[in-house]
Amino acid sequence: MKYEELKIAFGTETGTSESMASDFHELCKQRSIDSELVDLSEYSIDHLKSWKNLVVFVSTWGEGDPPGDIEDFYCDLEDLEEGELSSLSFSIIALGDSAYEEFCGCGRKMQEFFEKAGAKAFLPRVELDADDGDESSFESWKDDFFAVAI
Ligand SMILES: Cc1cc2nc3c(=O)[nH]c(=O)nc-3n(C[C@H](O)[C@H](O)[C@H](O)COP(=O)(O)O)c2cc1C
C-alpha cells in the first residue's frame, strides 16, 4: 500500500470540489485504500504537519483567491518554514475557469507553499477548466494514482 493514511481534502465555494473529492474517496474505499475525507475549513496547519499523504481538490475565487472558508488555512500556508512539511507527499487537483486571468491560482500557489515547506508532489498537479469541462487529465491522473496505490 503506497498511500497509507491518505487524506482526501477539499476547499470549495459552491460544492464542485467537495463532490469530486467525495467521489474520489468512494473509489478509494472500493479499493480498500485507507483514506479519510477532509474539509480543509475544519483543519489547521498543525494538522497538515502530521499528515503523510494528501490529495487536495481546491477551487479558485475572486482574482486567484482561495474559497472563503479556507482563507485562514491558506494564509497560514504562506508562513510555513522550510522543512515543516518534509513528511508530506501530496497532489493537487485545481479547479478553475480559464476565462479568469489567475487560472487555478489558488491550486498553483498552494503547491508552491507546500513545496517551499519541503513537501513532495507524488503526481503532477491537474488543472480543470470549468470553461471546457474536459476532465481527461483527471482521468489519467486517477489511472496513475491507482496503478501504484494498490
Ligand atoms: C465570481 C467568480 C470568481 C472566480 N474566480 C476564478 C479565478 O480567479 N480563477 C479561476 O481559475 N477560476 C475562477 N472561478 C471559477 C471557479 O473556480 C470554478 O467555477 C470552480 O469549478 C468552482 O469550484 P467550487 O464549486 O468547488 O468552488 C471563479 C468563479 C466565479 C463565479
Side-chain angles (χ1 to χ4, degrees):
M1 161 57 67
K2 182 162 179 201
Y3 305 110
E4 58 177 12
E5 296 178 29
L6 176 69
K7 307 289 184 199
I8 302 169
F10 62 85
T12 191
E13 190 83 39
T14 50
T16 320
S17 306
E18 178 174 5
S19 143
M20 290 186 74
S22 173
D23 290 350
F24 180 63
H25 184 220
E26 285 306 314
L27 292 178
C28 287
K29 283 198 293 188
Q30 284 164 18
R31 289 162 174 80
S32 303
I33 293 170
D34 171 23
S35 54
E36 184 187 351
L37 190 63
V38 164
D39 180 347
L40 281 185
S41 69
E42 295 170 3
Y43 288 81
S44 74
I45 295 298
D46 286 333
H47 295 103
L48 180 66
K49 288 178 193 168
S50 69
W51 294 346
K52 292 180 180 166
N53 290 298
L54 171 68
V55 176
V56 184
F57 293 76
V58 70
S59 61
T60 296
W61 285 81
E63 292 171 19
D65 301 325
D69 64 2
I70 70 156
E71 216 165 295
D72 289 347
F73 182 94
Y74 181 83
C75 287
D76 288 346
L77 277 181
E78 278 191 85
D79 298 330
L80 282 170
E81 307 277 336
E82 207 178 310
E84 283 193 282
L85 294 183
S86 53
S87 313
L88 182 71
S89 293
F90 73 97
S91 190
I92 293 182
I93 313 298
L95 279 75
D97 185 331
S98 58
Y100 291 87
E101 203 168 314
E102 297 284 334
F103 176 55
C104 288
C106 175
R108 288 179 184 182
K109 278 179 265 171
M110 194 177 263
Q111 176 136 7
E112 273 178 38
F113 298 146
F114 281 0
E115 288 178 338
K116 191 174 140 251
K120 297 270 176 300
F122 61 74
L123 281 175
R125 183 180 62 254
V126 171
E127 296 186 343
L128 295 174
D129 186 357
D131 196 39
D132 66 16
D134 178 6
E135 293 197 357
S136 56
S137 56
F138 181 49
E139 294 304 317
S140 307
W141 182 95
K142 280 190 284 189
D143 289 345
D144 292 343
F145 178 90
F146 289 121
V148 289
I150 307 159

